[in-house]
Amino acid sequence: MNELSTLLQKIKENPVIYIEKPSITCLKSFVGGYLGQLSDLGLTPEGYPMEGFQEWIQERAKTNVTQSWAGILIFSCGSERSAFYSFFELFEKFIKQKNDSKIQETEDVVRLRQDLMFPRFDIYDEILKGIKKRPGMFLGTSSITKLDMLLRGYSLGRREVGVPPTEPEREFEGFQSWVQEKYGINSGQSWSKIILFYSVDEHEALHKFFELFEEYLNKIKSLEIDENSR
């Protein structure tokens, strides 16, 4: 499933599988992680269907504000859920108009991957360090939910092209079960939801995530040291 349009259709039909709920913010973060990883691998989705969508939304909304297309939709629709479903209607119109008029790609069109400002690093290592220092640059706002969606999209992009997980990515795979054990939770809730539940808000949850993740990595290192000393 290398074509973004196919992925978006699947998310529209069953958002729970990919982003847990119909949320435009979660969708944008997920797609951002997905496209960012494919771009870093030099694999641009076929036809790059979101090319120019930001500008099209701004023109349609008659606004020059620096809000992302997701932010503009939330403002105009009034809620995350409404904006989520409105996105697919608008995106379909955008694609039709783009195909009908045969809009040519130009250098001044801002690609989504440029909006992400991702260097070519492992997201579970260097990028997480960058998000910890400046969450607004990578996530827009300090939000553990956005971080979760970003990582999910990133991982899906790698799996689809058959890229094996890096060492930091393999380490992260155990974080879910570690968080569940730490909080004594046996439900299928994601690590982000568990941390958010025990936090005041998204901002505090994101800060707590980095504390917990550091604790988790230290535990892994301690176990490795114990095993090597035997």
Side-chain angles (χ1 to χ4, degrees):
M1 187 175 57
N2 294 326
E3 189 179 358
L4 178 61
S5 294
T6 302
L7 175 59
L8 289 175
Q9 182 60 35
K10 289 182 178 293
I11 295 175
K12 176 184 178 181
E13 293 172 354
N14 199 339
V16 176
I17 292 180
Y18 296 91
I19 58 175
E20 294 190 342
K21 60 182 179 180
S23 162
I24 192 67
T25 299
C26 290
L27 175 65
K28 185 179 187 302
S29 296
F30 180 88
V31 171
Y34 177 81
L35 291 181
Q37 175 54 23
L38 291 186
S39 295
D40 283 348
L41 293 171
L43 301 170
T44 306
E46 183 182 345
Y48 213 90
M50 293 203 73
E51 181 82 47
F53 184 64
Q54 173 71 35
E55 291 77 15
W56 186 82
I57 284 292
Q58 285 181 304
E59 182 179 350
R60 183 182 179 86
K62 292 181 172 38
T63 178
N64 292 319
V65 297
T66 56
Q67 284 283 355
S68 67
W69 53 264
I72 293 173
L73 290 180
I74 291 175
F75 180 78
S76 61
C77 296
S79 71
E80 287 275 350
R81 183 184 180 87
S82 178
F84 174 83
Y85 288 109
S86 179
F87 161 79
F88 294 103
E89 295 179 4
L90 291 170
F91 188 65
E92 184 177 347
K93 292 179 181 179
F94 166 71
I95 292 297
K96 185 177 185 305
Q97 179 179 323
K98 188 175 182 180
N99 291 337
D100 290 345
S101 59
K102 296 181 180 180
I103 298 176
Q104 299 298 315
E105 294 183 353
T106 58
E107 294 182 358
D108 62 332
V109 175
V110 180
R111 292 182 179 274
L112 184 56
R113 70 173 185 174
Q114 291 175 329
D115 181 58
L116 292 172
M117 295 189 294
F118 279 170
R120 296 175 180 273
F121 295 127
D122 187 327
I123 199 170
Y124 289 94
D125 189 8
E126 284 87 348
I127 296 301
L128 276 180
K129 293 175 183 176
I131 292 174
K132 182 179 181 179
K133 293 178 180 178
R134 301 181 66 182
M137 174 181 288
F138 297 91
L139 303 175
T141 56
S142 296
S143 165
I144 193 171
T145 300
K146 285 187 176 182
L147 173 64
D148 187 7
M149 296 304 116
L150 182 70
L151 295 178
R152 291 188 192 198
Y154 169 90
S155 296
L156 177 62
R158 292 179 68 84
R159 289 197 304 271
E160 285 192 350
V161 297
V163 177
T166 60
E167 184 61 30
E169 188 174 355
R170 284 194 293 270
E171 289 180 344
F172 192 83
E173 290 174 357
F175 186 63
Q176 172 69 38
S177 57
W178 183 82
V179 169
Q180 287 178 306
E181 182 179 349
K182 183 175 182 65
Y183 285 97
I185 293 179
N186 297 319
S187 67
Q189 296 287 355
S190 67
W191 55 264
S192 61
K193 281 193 173 182
I194 295 172
I195 297 174
L196 181 58
F197 181 77
Y198 288 96
S199 305
V200 174
D201 54 24
E202 290 273 354
H203 177 80
E204 182 181 283
L206 183 65
H207 179 74
K208 188 176 294 183
F209 159 78
F210 286 107
E211 292 181 348
L212 291 170
F213 189 53
E214 183 176 356
E215 181 182 342
Y216 166 71
L217 292 178
N218 289 334
K219 182 178 180 180
I220 290 178
K221 292 178 182 177
S222 297
L223 292 175
E224 290 176 349
I225 292 174
D226 290 342
E227 291 179 359
N228 294 332
S229 63
R230 292 177 184 175

